[in-house]
Amino acid sequence: MLIASLKPRTMGGTTNTGLLAYALARAGHKVTCYDADESLQLAAWQRDVTDFPCQVHVADTPAFAETIYPDMDHSGINLVDAGHAENHPDIVDSILEVADLVIVTVSPTKPDYERLTKPERGTTLAKVIRRSGALRPSGLPPTTYVLLNRCQANSGNPKKYAGLLRDGGKSGKDPKWTVLSTRIPRREKIADAVGAPCDVPERKAPYDALVTELTKLGHLPAVGGTA
Ligand SMILES: Nc1ncnc2c1ncn2[C@@H]1O[C@H](COP(=O)(O)OP(=O)(O)OP(=O)(O)O)[C@@H](O)[C@H]1O
Ligand SMILES: [Mg+2]
């Protein structure tokens, strides 16, 4: 299967991709990562640390569906870190043609909520995902979840923005998102994770919870099995 990690600019997408890969591997899944962001930070992370859990293939191409996807090991979990959709819509479109599941990383703050829902320039991510249905065999966009990252303890923001995302904004007329109940906390050790060793308690627990939730939702293949 292919899980796509998407986000508007600088939300914590690469952090979430790498640490989700680490949690999936520790849960016994066969994992392979793909770096489809031209900044290649995920690939550099794998190069620079010894406990990164899997191979990271460079895959920042708008021909992702045609040239990268067919060669994947489809019996395992493939995880692709997409660059921000504003600057790389062609790559994101190609990933969405073939992704089984999309996780959109969003920080629960006003500017980040607005960057997702009302960007000053470009197409909203909701529309990019919705229109991908036209290129998929099912005719439907991939199942998509929002994962809230950088959630401050004792702040009302995670609850507030989760509600706004679920309800389609204050008016109820904006796109409605399904928000995972797992929340990645705002932590220095997570802020420093990209390019650093994975085996740190703060870098494990929230992502283990994410794997548990995705498993309960029925989105992950059986460990050691096929999708
Ligand atoms: N849980 C967290 N707590 C605190 N800071 C975080 C957390 N997750 C990410 N960050 C910080 O957020 C910033 C963006 O993280 P990251 O590079 O993973 O995002 P990105 O969406 O991949 O960005 P880009 O658009 O550059 O690819 C970094 O400065 C990182 O330190
Ligand atoms: Mg990134």
Side-chain angles (χ1 to χ4, degrees):
M1 75 171 299
L2 175 62
I3 302 177
S5 172
L6 301 192
K7 73 309 170 310
R9 195 183 297 267
T10 321
M11 293 277 180
T14 300
T15 307
N16 279 351
T17 308
L19 294 181
L20 173 58
Y22 186 55
L24 286 167
R26 280 183 299 107
H29 290 284
K30 196 162 45 157
V31 189
T32 308
C33 282
Y34 293 82
D35 193 341
D37 186 347
E38 284 167 5
S39 70
L40 296 181
Q41 281 190 300
L42 190 70
W45 190 356
Q46 185 263 323
R47 181 196 63 210
D48 293 343
V49 304
T50 54
D51 69 349
F52 195 87
C54 63
Q55 257 196 301
V56 179
H57 299 283
V58 172
D60 56 325
T61 166
F64 186 92
E66 295 82 10
T67 63
I68 305 290
Y69 181 74
D71 292 337
M72 287 180 183
D73 174 359
H74 297 282
S75 70
I77 300 180
N78 300 286
L79 196 49
V80 57
D81 187 35
H84 39 86
E86 298 97 314
N87 287 17
H88 308 287
D90 49 356
I91 299 177
V92 170
D93 281 340
S94 193
I95 290 170
L96 285 170
E97 269 185 71
V98 288
D100 298 296
L101 184 70
V102 172
I103 298 177
V104 177
T105 295
V106 180
S107 298
T109 62
K110 186 166 185 288
D112 290 332
Y113 172 76
E114 289 184 350
R115 195 171 285 154
L116 176 72
T117 56
K118 307 179 184 63
E120 292 295 326
R121 294 263 192 279
T123 310
T124 60
L125 196 49
K127 199 183 270 189
V128 171
I129 293 169
R130 198 156 16 113
R131 74 184 180 197
S132 75
L135 292 173
R136 295 166 57 84
S138 65
L140 298 171
T143 301
T144 300
Y145 292 101
V146 166
L147 174 61
L148 294 180
N149 184 23
R150 297 193 296 225
C151 295
Q152 184 70 47
N154 306 320
S155 160
N157 271 357
K159 191 167 176 217
K160 172 181 168 184
Y161 287 102
L164 286 169
L165 289 164
R166 270 191 212 111
D167 298 345
K170 278 188 194 148
S171 67
K173 291 183 182 159
D174 293 340
K176 295 186 167 75
W177 299 84
T178 306
V179 182
L180 291 165
S181 52
T182 302
R183 290 173 183 170
I184 308 301
R186 180 182 285 272
R187 293 263 188 286
E188 191 118 338
K189 294 278 191 208
I190 302 178
D192 282 341
V194 174
C198 299
D199 189 9
V200 171
E202 292 87 338
R203 296 177 187 155
K204 292 162 129 177
Y207 296 92
D208 289 342
L210 175 59
V211 170
T212 301
E213 184 173 8
L214 293 175
T215 305
K216 280 195 186 138
L217 288 166
H219 291 303
L220 301 185
V223 170
T226 53

